[in-house]
Amino acid sequence: MDVPRDQITTLMDHGLYTSAQMLGCFLVSSSAVNPETSPHIKAESLVLLGDALFREREHRRAIHTYKQALQHYKIIPRQTSTTRISFENEVKFKIASCHCALNENVAALAEMEGIPSKARNLQMNLLMGKLHRNSRQNRAAIACYKECLRHCPYVIEAIIALAELGATAKDILSLFPQTPNRSGRPPFDHFESSRWLQRYVEAQCCIASNDYKGGLELFAELLQRFPNNIHILLEIAKVEAIIGKNDEAIMNFEKVRSIDPHIITYMDEYAMLLKIKSDDLKLNKLVYDLVRIDPTRPEVFVALSVAWEKKDERGALTYADKSIQIDERHIPGYIMKGNMYLSANQPDAAVVAFRGAQELKPDLRSYQGLVRSYLALSKVKEALYVAREAMKAMPQSAKALKLVGDVHASNSSGREKAKKFYESALRLEPGYLGAALALAELHVMEGRTADSISLLERYLKDWADDSLHVKLAQVFAATNMLQDALSHYQSALRINAQNEAAKKGLERLEKQMKGVDPDAPEEDEDNEVEDADGDPEEAELL
């Protein structure tokens, strides 16, 4: 009695993988199939069972089954060797895919390297590119991704990867097929129906080269042609989150969630923004939704880390680590770890985390994290080097200019330089409140309290921001203008009731207004940090 092989394929086509797997067990154990006289039938039956196991995510069993299939196929007579080689290549690809699913990149790459480059199809080249990139073999990865686009210009993953690996838009567009078809026109015409793809390539190349403004403009142009495009909205929101346009990013993330409430991509970025805004209600709802949708994704573990940071720092760190275990290239996991280590006063560990993010893809946040970490370690020279690297990578970025200013401001001899960098940042981006707040703080440090108050009040006319009110309240409190300080703390809390700095400042101010020394409880604590001088070499740099 034979088992119908075509029925396994039917079950697979209908997504009935458990039934397909069970039927496959009957098929491969059937006495009707003699592995010695019909090795190809036995091998093909084992592959069908392996496919069902792969779909059921039983990857170890699938690998074992595929390897059994290869053993049977090796005894096929030489006259059909071409068919045998093609079969072996397909099975090796399936084995590599299983290893990938298990995060076993070395084993996956070993299988794929057994397939000759000329025999690789589109799927194989894409997987090969990912494996080479994960192994930091960038030149080999670029070659594989280019081969993908020569076959099909719409492999978006290959476009993004090539942009991130340093390819220019011109290089990428030159790969698209240009062989004329029967009508005499190229299959890919930049100037007609596929012009949007050219814009998309240019946008990704802008973002990869840290030209965030140019990238956002191109994405906005694409969004006009494709309104409510979830992928484009997510790309815009991610960039806005990176460059500190938090309100705009939150708005776009919320728009995406309103279109598709089950989306997970970049939702950890959204979680980090909600934490910055102290919107615990939305954050908890987001995490609850993500865990219900798919608890195996790295974004979910970063979001859990964000939600648990205040309650359990060690648990939050474990979640961030888990996100990286799932996907070694998941940058938000490294950024989250770095920020947590900084908060826990472990700048050495923070440097390692931010370096991990930067090695994958340098962006503004990894530069900012490294500068903060090195300054916390009093490594001014290293901080200045990183800040200058950021400025070279992003010459038109006010945030990069501010980073250099922050390093100079950390040393009393560099404050005049810091002032120039902060002012340059504000000329480049007048609405950059981070630079305005840093300049106001610098004025206070230099004893120019009136200048600080004037600057902050000027900004408050155009931007009703809680951080501006808090800074102004702190300046007023330091100069004993307590009633003015009270007014601004209250204004900050009206804008953002969860602003921790405003809450603590107001509590401290109320003690001052009652004639109580707000620092009295801390008098016994020996927690002051000595103001050690930097070494001569660092002083020279500044």
Side-chain angles (χ1 to χ4, degrees):
M1 187 181 294
D2 201 2
V3 179
R5 290 170 58 202
D6 61 322
Q7 290 304 311
I8 295 184
T9 307
T10 302
L11 290 169
M12 294 278 286
D13 290 343
H14 285 85
L16 304 175
Y17 307 125
T18 303
S19 292
Q21 178 197 140
M22 292 173 180
L23 186 59
C25 291
F26 284 95
L27 180 64
V28 298
S29 62
S30 173
S31 58
V33 178
N34 188 330
E36 292 181 4
T37 57
S38 307
H40 63 286
I41 295 175
K42 181 73 172 180
E44 288 165 7
S45 300
L46 284 163
V47 169
L48 283 172
L49 175 58
D51 292 346
L53 291 166
F54 178 80
R55 293 292 188 176
E56 284 280 273
R57 298 185 180 182
E58 293 196 51
H59 299 114
R60 296 269 179 227
R61 289 184 66 197
I63 290 170
H64 177 70
T65 306
Y66 287 139
K67 286 185 174 179
Q68 282 183 302
L70 284 178
Q71 290 300 319
H72 284 289
Y73 228 83
K74 281 178 181 175
I75 61 175
I76 293 174
R78 284 284 176 183
Q79 59 264 32
T80 54
S81 60
T82 306
T83 308
R84 189 187 75 182
I85 290 168
S86 176
F87 176 87
E88 286 178 353
N89 290 340
E90 281 294 332
V91 176
K92 284 177 183 176
F93 170 68
K94 290 172 188 283
I95 293 171
S97 299
C98 289
H99 283 302
C100 265
L102 294 164
N103 283 329
E104 296 171 352
N105 289 330
V106 175
L109 195 55
E111 289 293 338
M112 290 301 297
E113 284 173 343
I115 304 172
S117 56
K118 290 182 180 179
R120 291 180 201 142
N121 59 23
L122 186 58
Q123 272 184 304
M124 292 174 182
N125 275 313
L126 186 60
L127 180 61
M128 197 74 173
K130 289 177 182 177
L131 292 170
H132 279 309
R133 196 177 181 195
N134 288 344
S135 304
R136 290 178 167 75
Q137 299 171 5
N138 290 346
R139 287 180 67 182
I142 288 168
C144 292
Y145 287 128
K146 284 183 173 180
E147 200 58 41
C148 289
L149 293 181
R150 288 191 185 101
H151 281 91
C152 174
Y154 296 97
V155 185
I156 303 292
E157 291 169 89
I159 291 172
I160 295 170
L162 283 171
E164 290 177 350
L165 288 165
T168 65
K170 186 178 178 182
D171 290 339
I172 295 171
L173 292 169
S174 70
L175 299 167
F176 294 174
Q178 296 298 321
T179 306
N181 54 26
R182 288 181 183 177
S183 64
R185 202 168 62 183
F188 183 84
D189 191 337
H190 299 327
F191 305 102
E192 292 182 21
S193 61
S194 297
R195 189 177 180 84
W196 67 268
L197 188 59
Q198 182 182 359
R199 287 283 178 266
Y200 181 83
V201 170
E202 290 166 356
Q204 289 293 358
C205 288
C206 281
I207 301 304
S209 62
N210 299 305
D211 178 10
Y212 298 120
K213 184 183 176 185
L216 286 174
E217 286 172 358
L218 286 163
F219 278 137
E221 183 184 324
L222 283 167
L223 203 58
Q224 288 180 342
R225 180 167 178 181
F226 303 97
N228 295 332
N229 181 313
I230 287 176
H231 174 64
I232 298 297
L233 283 168
L234 284 171
E235 292 296 301
I236 291 171
K238 182 187 74 170
V239 174
E240 288 170 338
I242 289 170
I243 63 176
K245 289 191 170 184
N246 296 348
D247 292 334
E248 293 92 331
I250 287 172
M251 184 181 72
N252 279 315
F253 279 128
E254 287 176 351
K255 186 173 182 180
V256 168
R257 293 249 300 161
S258 70
I259 298 167
D260 183 354
H262 300 101
I263 194 84
I264 290 182
T265 306
Y266 300 158
M267 284 299 115
D268 46 356
E269 301 277 7
Y270 180 37
M272 287 191 250
L273 292 174
L274 292 176
K275 180 197 164 197
I276 291 169
K277 288 291 180 182
S278 302
D279 196 336
D280 293 338
L281 197 66
K282 280 187 181 177
L283 175 59
N284 291 335
K285 173 72 167 64
L286 173 67
V287 173
Y288 176 76
D289 289 345
L290 294 178
V291 170
R292 287 181 63 202
I293 297 163
D294 185 354
T296 66
R297 291 276 292 272
E299 296 94 330
V300 178
F301 284 95
V302 175
L304 280 164
S305 177
V306 173
W308 277 89
E309 188 181 1
K310 284 184 183 177
K311 308 167 196 171
D312 178 3
E313 285 184 8
R314 186 175 295 179
L317 196 56
T318 303
Y319 283 131
D321 277 326
K322 181 67 176 174
S323 74
I324 295 168
Q325 286 172 18
I326 294 169
D327 180 2
E328 291 179 355
R329 299 192 57 81
H330 194 65
I331 291 172
Y334 294 92
I335 298 293
M336 190 64 202
K337 276 184 72 174
N339 288 332
M340 281 193 287
Y341 279 130
L342 269 179
S343 299
N345 198 26
Q346 297 180 49
D348 279 315
V351 167
V352 175
F354 288 124
R355 277 283 175 215
Q358 199 173 51
E359 284 172 11
L360 292 170
K361 184 186 173 187
D363 69 24
L364 188 62
R365 292 177 303 183
S366 57
Y367 284 120
Q368 289 170 331
L370 281 170
V371 168
R372 287 171 60 207
S373 303
Y374 282 131
L375 288 178
L377 290 164
S378 299
K379 292 185 175 180
V380 182
K381 184 179 178 181
E382 289 86 346
L384 188 60
Y385 176 82
V386 172
R388 284 175 174 166
E389 284 294 304
M391 200 167 66
K392 287 177 190 172
M394 296 168 271
Q396 295 303 310
S397 169
K399 273 79 175 176
L401 286 171
K402 179 190 173 284
L403 266 187
V404 181
D406 289 343
V407 180
H408 289 308
S410 69
N411 191 303
S412 57
S413 63
R415 286 175 186 165
E416 194 55 41
K417 285 184 180 178
K419 181 171 176 282
K420 289 176 182 176
F421 276 103
Y422 290 150
E423 288 171 344
S424 295
L426 289 171
R427 279 196 296 274
L428 193 62
E429 191 181 326
Y432 180 26
L433 298 185
L437 291 165
L439 183 57
E441 179 62 27
L442 194 66
H443 284 321
V444 171
M445 291 163 69
E446 293 284 283
R448 298 188 294 268
T449 307
D451 289 344
S452 180
I453 292 170
S454 173
L455 174 69
L456 292 167
E457 286 180 336
R458 191 167 75 246
Y459 269 83
L460 272 173
K461 288 177 184 175
D462 297 316
W463 287 277
D465 186 88
D466 53 320
S467 61
L468 288 171
H469 281 292
V470 170
K471 177 58 69 178
L472 197 48
Q474 290 169 345
V475 175
F476 280 131
T479 53
N480 214 32
M481 299 170 72
L482 304 186
Q483 201 59 46
D484 290 314
L486 177 65
S487 171
H488 283 285
Y489 277 133
Q490 289 171 339
S491 295
L493 289 169
R494 276 195 295 272
I495 295 169
N496 181 5
Q498 302 303 318
N499 189 308
E500 289 297 324
K503 287 181 188 177
K504 289 177 182 175
L506 187 58
E507 186 182 333
R508 181 184 174 88
L509 183 66
E510 285 171 349
K511 288 180 181 178
Q512 281 181 269
M513 294 179 88
K514 290 174 183 174
V516 178
D517 184 358
D519 298 318
E522 283 77 46
E523 277 182 1
D524 295 334
E525 293 181 17
D526 187 20
N527 59 0
E528 290 188 7
V529 180
E530 289 184 13
D531 185 16
D533 292 328
D535 63 40
E537 192 178 351
E538 289 175 357
E540 272 181 36
L541 270 167
L542 295 174

